[in-house]
Amino acid sequence: PNIQIPRNGAYYSLNDGREPDWPKGLQRWIYDAKRGQTPSGTVYSSRYICSLCADVHRTLIKGGWAGNPRPHLRLLYEAAPLAHIVEACGGRSSNGVMNLLDVEPKGLHDRTCVFLGSMNDVLELEAYGDIQQGAKKYLT
């Protein structure tokens, strides 16, 4: 099938139960997004299944973004394959600072933060800055 992810969506997908631990930029984006105060003016709502593949599938169809601000996913065999699919469908992948497909792994089990979804939504999220949780030691 020829799947094209919408350039914008109205959903974000991450574990809201961990909100107290999120970095300030991510907290600010979520607060603004729920009120339609992001630069796009979209009122976002949360959709979280707790299965990244299912969350990314819905994101491919409906738009928005799915991710994990914590560096838990393995770059080579979890994050990069999903990033490739999302980008092949016209979306964007990010570790919160740069495109996931531009990250050069140093080891087989390198971990990374992951944000996957609609081009404009992920770019807008990145622009808030400080969206990676405890990722400094994982940056390349």
Side-chain angles (χ1 to χ4, degrees):
N2 182 20
I3 297 174
Q4 291 296 308
I5 188 170
R7 291 194 58 81
N8 296 82
Y11 303 108
Y12 68 90
S13 178
L14 80 163
N15 187 352
D16 277 325
R18 295 200 166 272
E19 184 271 333
D21 299 328
W22 291 342
K24 296 299 180 200
L26 184 57
Q27 287 179 347
R28 204 170 52 251
W29 187 91
I30 298 294
Y31 181 89
D32 290 352
K34 289 179 179 179
R35 291 157 181 79
Q37 297 173 351
T38 62
S40 69
T42 303
V43 177
Y44 290 83
S45 66
S46 177
R47 298 287 188 276
Y48 181 64
I49 299 170
C50 194
S51 164
L52 188 59
C53 287
D55 286 324
V56 169
H57 177 262
R58 183 199 49 256
T59 300
L60 287 171
I61 305 301
K62 300 284 188 180
W65 62 267
N68 189 338
R70 300 182 303 154
H72 282 217
L73 290 148
R74 288 156 198 89
L75 175 62
L76 286 175
Y77 44 92
E78 293 173 321
L82 288 172
H84 177 74
I85 292 168
V86 167
E87 292 197 15
C89 294
R92 178 157 175 84
S93 68
S94 175
N95 68 0
V97 175
M98 64 187 289
N99 186 300
L100 275 173
L101 297 179
D102 291 336
V103 176
E104 292 188 30
K106 292 182 175 47
L108 184 61
H109 303 292
D110 288 0
R111 293 174 184 264
T112 185
C113 305
V114 174
F115 303 93
L116 306 163
S118 296
M119 178 67 73
N120 295 339
D121 294 333
V122 175
L123 286 170
E124 185 176 89
L125 175 65
E126 286 175 316
Y128 270 67
D130 191 24
I131 61 173
Q132 297 176 312
Q133 184 175 342
K136 288 181 179 58
K137 65 182 179 181
Y138 294 93
L139 290 176
T140 56

